[in-house]
Amino acid sequence: MRIAVIGCGHVGLITGICLASIGHHVTCVDRDTELLRLLEEGHLPVYESHLDELFLRCRCAHTLALAPDSGKAAKDAEVVFLCVGVPQLENGDSDFSALDTAARQIAQAVDTSKLIVVRSTVPVQTGEQLLHLLSVYRRNRDVSFCVASNPQFLREGSAVEDFLHADRILLGVQDSASEITLRSIYAPVLEQDFRCPVHRERCPTRKPPELLLTNVHSAELIKYASNAFLAVKISYANVLADLCERLRADVEEVTRAVGLDSRIRPGFLEAGLGFGGSRLPKDLRSFCRLTERTGVEAGILHAAEEVNRSRIDLFFDKVQHSLWVLNDKRIGLLGLAHKADTDDIRGSPAIELFKRFTAAGAQVRTYDPRAMRQARSAYPDMICGADALDVAEHADALVIATDWEEFLRLDWRRVRDVMARPAVFDGRNLLSPSRMQDLKFEYYSVGRPIS
């Protein structure tokens, strides 16, 4: 099928490349000419495992094209996926400028009826408004539009696997024709014997994703409801961590036992620096805004947001209390991305800690396996080390802010020997307290007792 994907951000690139990898002919569109130039040269703006190889393979197979013109791409396509950014305004509302522009360009260019699939995370009733705009903007009165919602559940760091091996595919449709078309698009990944384009093999025991069919409004709401629930789980784990620190309990023992309950399950019951990134905080805030506008009391959502905001304060205070004075102290910051296996620093707790330590007068050196280019671009004065050991040298403290496996595998005995003071503040509970104490570190984590 011929598909146009409007928007070459993280979601758009993953969607376009993965759709091309399962046999569709995809044109990825973006008005940023510099981004398109980099893509033409084979340079992806985001890091995701397997994405580079799939991109190059699809380009060589001529199943993936790049273009700057949304209107032309939409005209030539059978289906249009909208993956444009919907940023948040200061008051918590959404900025629909990019969506409005895309709707106008598509409506004025096409000469046949189209299915428009909203892939971006958008507030409830966006699909309804989009359908109205497409009808208003269309030049050809014989052209009609259908709008469907196909929210993505892609985790940064594992987005390709999440697309190709999804646990669920959600389709919000308004008619049977849209359902049939979208079923056809996703047919390869819904097959029992799907041949994965990454691993290039079939897995006969594979469980295909569950296909969920709803109306458009429900699909839009499901995306926000899912992310808000995950945010609540993380904040709940952090409340337990605070309680554990005061009662000398171990939050990992507590959350493991709680998560074994089949009604709760262990995912996202992890204490630490709280949730970050560009999506979960934004989606929770938008969901709170939605409840306010509709007159629904949602105190639990506001409480989760407030708990998350407090995590950096509490962790910063822990470091400051231990070091006593931060001015002129040397702090090594391990991790800059908001989570492991990505280079995304947007909304990163690590970046917030960097700014706090710097403002307090500390001499901060940083290291991240993937995110240093983005961090240097955003903070030109940031001092980056060659590796974790380089950052640790002569440091008064090391702060683990991202749970990279590389940090788990460090030779911590050697790290201790190069530090001025062997103090480690583990904001991700990555390391074993008993092992770090055996190595004679001052070791502090989140919600776990100090022996």
Side-chain angles (χ1 to χ4, degrees):
M1 192 171 290
R2 298 188 312 279
I3 299 172
V5 175
I6 313 300
C8 288
H10 187 270
V11 172
L13 282 177
I14 299 294
T15 299
I17 292 170
C18 287
L19 286 173
S21 75
I22 61 174
H24 300 292
H25 286 79
V26 179
T27 300
C28 285
V29 181
D30 203 285
R31 57 186 178 184
D32 185 338
T33 55
E34 177 61 17
L35 172 59
L36 291 178
R37 184 187 67 78
L38 290 172
L39 288 170
E40 290 283 4
E41 294 175 356
H43 303 299
L44 296 182
V46 296
Y47 169 76
E48 281 287 348
S49 182
H50 309 301
L51 191 62
D52 282 10
E53 58 189 276
L54 282 187
F55 176 73
L56 292 174
R57 199 183 304 163
C58 292
R59 291 288 283 163
C60 290
H62 304 293
T63 57
L64 182 67
L66 302 167
D69 189 334
S70 298
K72 184 178 186 309
K75 182 178 180 180
D76 296 338
E78 297 168 82
V79 179
V80 179
F81 278 72
L82 290 180
C83 301
V84 299
V86 184
Q88 199 165 64
L89 301 170
E90 286 294 325
N91 65 356
D93 286 338
S94 298
D95 180 354
F96 297 106
S97 300
L99 207 57
D100 181 88
T101 299
R104 183 187 296 272
Q105 292 174 344
I106 292 167
Q108 293 181 349
V110 302
D111 50 16
T112 57
S113 298
K114 300 289 178 185
L115 171 60
I116 311 298
V117 183
V118 181
R119 185 78 164 153
S120 306
T121 300
V122 294
V124 181
Q125 298 181 327
T126 299
E128 187 177 293
Q129 179 65 19
L130 180 63
L131 184 60
H132 172 70
L133 287 176
L134 289 165
S135 299
V136 169
Y137 290 149
R138 62 182 176 172
R139 282 183 177 165
N140 187 335
R141 294 292 128 182
D142 294 328
V143 168
S144 63
F145 296 94
C146 287
V147 172
S149 176
N150 175 218
Q152 50 81 23
F153 299 96
L154 307 176
R155 298 166 297 172
E156 286 188 77
S158 59
V160 172
E161 290 286 345
D162 288 343
F163 187 102
L164 298 174
H165 302 283
D167 54 10
R168 67 206 187 280
I169 294 174
L170 174 59
L171 305 179
V173 295
Q174 65 187 70
D175 55 56
S176 58
S178 299
E179 176 190 337
I180 291 169
T181 300
L182 284 167
R183 279 182 179 272
S184 175
I185 289 173
Y186 284 108
V189 298
L190 291 167
E191 293 173 358
Q192 180 73 42
D193 62 345
F194 169 57
R195 183 187 290 274
C196 176
V198 171
H199 308 294
R200 301 195 181 194
E201 59 185 21
R202 290 187 173 92
C203 179
T205 61
R206 167 183 179 266
K207 181 182 177 182
E210 185 170 352
L211 185 67
L212 303 175
L213 292 171
T214 71
N215 64 35
V216 175
H217 289 134
S218 292
E220 292 169 336
L221 183 58
I222 287 168
K223 172 63 177 178
Y224 276 109
S226 298
N227 280 359
F229 184 72
L230 296 178
V232 169
K233 284 189 77 173
I234 295 170
S235 288
Y236 182 67
N238 279 316
V239 170
L240 290 177
D242 293 344
L243 194 59
C244 286
E245 290 195 0
R246 285 162 176 76
L247 300 177
R248 298 185 64 191
D250 187 322
V251 71
E252 291 193 336
E253 294 176 348
V254 174
T255 54
R256 180 178 181 275
V258 170
L260 288 175
D261 189 321
S262 60
R263 298 167 299 174
I264 299 174
R265 301 201 291 184
F268 287 80
L269 275 177
E270 297 174 349
L273 295 174
F275 53 85
S278 62
R279 297 180 187 172
L280 211 55
K282 180 174 80 72
D283 290 353
L284 178 60
R285 203 169 303 122
S286 292
F287 200 42
C288 288
R289 183 67 171 162
L290 174 64
T291 62
E292 292 168 2
R293 287 202 311 270
T294 53
V296 173
E297 177 57 45
I300 190 172
L301 301 179
H302 293 288
E305 195 174 26
E306 186 56 39
V307 168
N308 195 62
R309 272 196 292 263
S310 71
R311 302 322 297 170
I312 297 298
D313 293 334
L314 291 170
F315 193 79
F316 177 83
D317 289 345
K318 184 179 291 188
V319 177
Q320 187 172 48
H321 177 76
S322 178
L323 297 184
W324 195 31
V325 174
L326 292 180
N327 189 47
D328 282 336
K329 292 287 172 63
R330 295 187 177 188
I331 296 178
L333 186 61
L334 297 181
L336 294 166
H338 78 90
K339 59 178 287 189
D341 300 317
T342 180
D343 58 357
D344 192 352
I345 65 169
R346 292 174 297 174
S348 171
I351 294 296
E352 185 59 31
L353 283 173
F354 165 76
K355 292 192 287 189
R356 296 279 190 93
F357 291 139
T358 302
Q363 301 174 35
V364 184
R365 287 171 59 83
T366 68
Y367 170 71
D368 188 285
R370 290 284 179 183
M372 290 200 293
R373 179 176 61 84
Q374 287 80 353
R376 279 197 189 111
S377 176
Y379 303 94
D381 295 333
M382 180 182 286
I383 300 172
C384 298
D387 53 31
L389 193 65
D390 182 31
V391 164
E393 194 164 356
H394 305 305
D396 296 296
L398 276 182
V399 173
I400 300 176
T402 311
D403 54 342
W404 286 98
E405 188 176 342
E406 177 179 323
F407 302 153
L408 183 63
R409 298 197 310 265
L410 284 176
D411 182 346
W412 283 98
R413 190 182 303 276
R414 190 177 174 194
V415 170
R416 178 200 63 197
D417 292 342
V418 302
M419 293 182 69
R421 174 180 171 179
V424 173
F425 297 85
D426 187 352
R428 297 297 183 180
N429 287 355
L430 187 66
L431 308 176
S432 161
S434 59
R435 169 163 166 72
M436 295 302 285
Q437 286 156 16
D438 287 345
L439 290 172
K440 308 302 180 187
F441 276 96
E442 297 175 56
Y443 179 74
Y444 307 87
S445 54
V446 180
R448 300 189 294 182
I450 301 172
S451 301

